Amino acid sequence: MPQRRRRSAAITLVLAGTISGCSEPVAQRDAYQSLADCRRDWGEPQACEPVRDKRYAPSYFYGPSYYGSSFPDGRPRASRHAMDAFHVAGSPSHTSPGSSSIRRGGFGSSAHSSGS
Amino acid sequence: MGGTYWDETACYAFSADQIDKLEAVSAELHQLCLAAADHVVRERRFAEFAIPEPLQGLVAESWRLREATLYGRFDLSWDGAGEPKLLEYNADTPTALLEASVVQWHWLEDTRPDADQFNSLHEKLIERWQAIRGAAPESATLHFACAKDSDEDLGNVEYLRDCALQADWDAKQLFIDELGWDGRRFVDLEQQPVQVLFKLYPWEWLAREPFGAHLPARSARLIEPAWKMLLSNKALLVVLWELNYGHPNLLPAYFDERRFAGEYARKPLLAREGANVTLQRRLDRVHQPGDYGEEGFVYQGLAPLPQFDGRYPVIGSWIVGDAAAGIGIREDDSPITKNSSRFVPHYFA
């Protein structure tokens, strides 16, 4: 009787490039067609600013940088009322779109390497 | 990471019979552990595991519901002959997964394509994520969280997220300190509810931190589930020995060091990567420093790791779901395996 195979038949990774453990999530910014759309996602008007870098028309607005989610191919997923999103370098200026009733940082204070 | 971690200057060669043995022993040990968890819950022996009172109900309910587990890793001492001995079960936050599942698989493909390897981790992980998805709300997103400052942890989490994406989950990553609480439930950075959370972050750390007070509300399903607190705790070793006295794959283990005449290993109930472990031997004592031990210790009979050319290997035997799924071998120059221990591939023919 042939011996049963014990190894995986094939290995495919869809997040190639991010699982080395040496890369961190990249912050993103969302682009809005109007200040009203930006405010709908972020609430506070000071979180939105006009586009000045020619990436979009000057009538458009940027939301703040934040860590969002990505599509499987790595493209950032835009917030609900945004029309586009793109990755930016550096730390985010906000943690999430929306209101301030959410508390964060309640986990993580014991952290060093958690594995065993 | 400093020093060599992936080390292919050597490798371990097994026979098919030896792999059969490891597979059977691992599957049996896992079943013994489940029976031990059932015993601890039924007899309410939570205090021996130093589980805080507010979480005891959560553990019991999690076990009653048999909340889904993804994986765990036994550490075994074995020289290839006789019986493998269980050193401990890393049942809550096991790591060294990517190298066991993917890297050594590629090593085999590149160096010994005609040989086999005890390693079906990748396909079993995808199958397991599919099974867990089948039992989750259809619209649920699977969130992955780990500590921010550990590249190793992030690598493990991203690999598991990769497997989840291949199992058709909508899977998002965030860091554990980015989790939000909106007064009713945990939310992610986009304020979306966190319904199913894979956390590479020990339960005992979650429990003692400010948001730990929200865990008993069970607003999110956590993987690993709360009942895994029983299996990742060294007190399990005592219960296993008590319930299966004389089992060939278990070592004597007690809460009282006086049960041993001379040699034993002292292990903190809650510790990781060899920290605060002491090997008390007839002629000497080996101690690994660390910050653990305040919850107490167990004392376990010694099963010295075999030594090959000054290298001490420990076999990490993986369980995915309830199935034995493969092994990864870590080597150290000391008889205590640590975070810095090298990973050495294996094959069998």
Side-chain angles (χ1 to χ4, degrees), chain B residues 125-139:
Chain B
L125 286 166
I126 293 173
E127 289 168 8
R128 186 63 189 152
W129 279 130
Q130 286 169 336
I132 293 172
R133 183 168 180 269
E138 195 164 336
S139 61

Side-chain angles (χ1 to χ4, degrees), chain A residues 29-93:
Chain A
R29 292 189 87 175
D30 295 345
Y32 296 86
Q33 286 183 310
S34 69
L35 179 60
D37 283 348
C38 185
R39 284 180 174 175
R40 288 169 74 187
D41 272 349
W42 293 94
E44 42 198 309
Q46 63 269 29
C48 304
E49 63 178 356
V51 168
R52 294 196 182 91
D53 60 4
K54 300 184 179 167
R55 185 188 288 262
Y56 304 99
S59 60
Y60 282 30
F61 283 79
Y62 286 143
S65 62
Y66 69 106
Y67 291 124
S69 64
S70 300
F71 293 102
D73 66 1
R75 288 179 296 116
R77 205 185 286 265
S79 292
R80 191 167 169 199
H81 297 102
M83 61 107 200
D84 195 13
F86 58 95
H87 281 138
V88 294
S91 299
S93 56

Side-chain angles (χ1 to χ4, degrees), chain A residues 6-7 12 21 96-97 108 110, chain B residues 20 109 151 166 189 191 209:
Chain A
R6 303 294 183 83
R7 63 166 151 158
T12 302
S96 71
S110 306
Chain B
D20 288 345
E109 289 282 299
D151 288 342
Q166 295 187 59
L189 287 169
Q191 298 176 209
E209 295 181 357

Side-chain angles (χ1 to χ4, degrees), chain A residues 15 18-19, chain B residues 153-163 173:
Chain A
L15 290 174
T18 69
I19 62 167
Chain B
D153 289 1
L154 181 61
N156 277 271
V157 162
E158 283 293 80
Y159 172 58
L160 286 171
R161 190 166 71 94
D162 195 305
C163 294
Q173 188 271 341

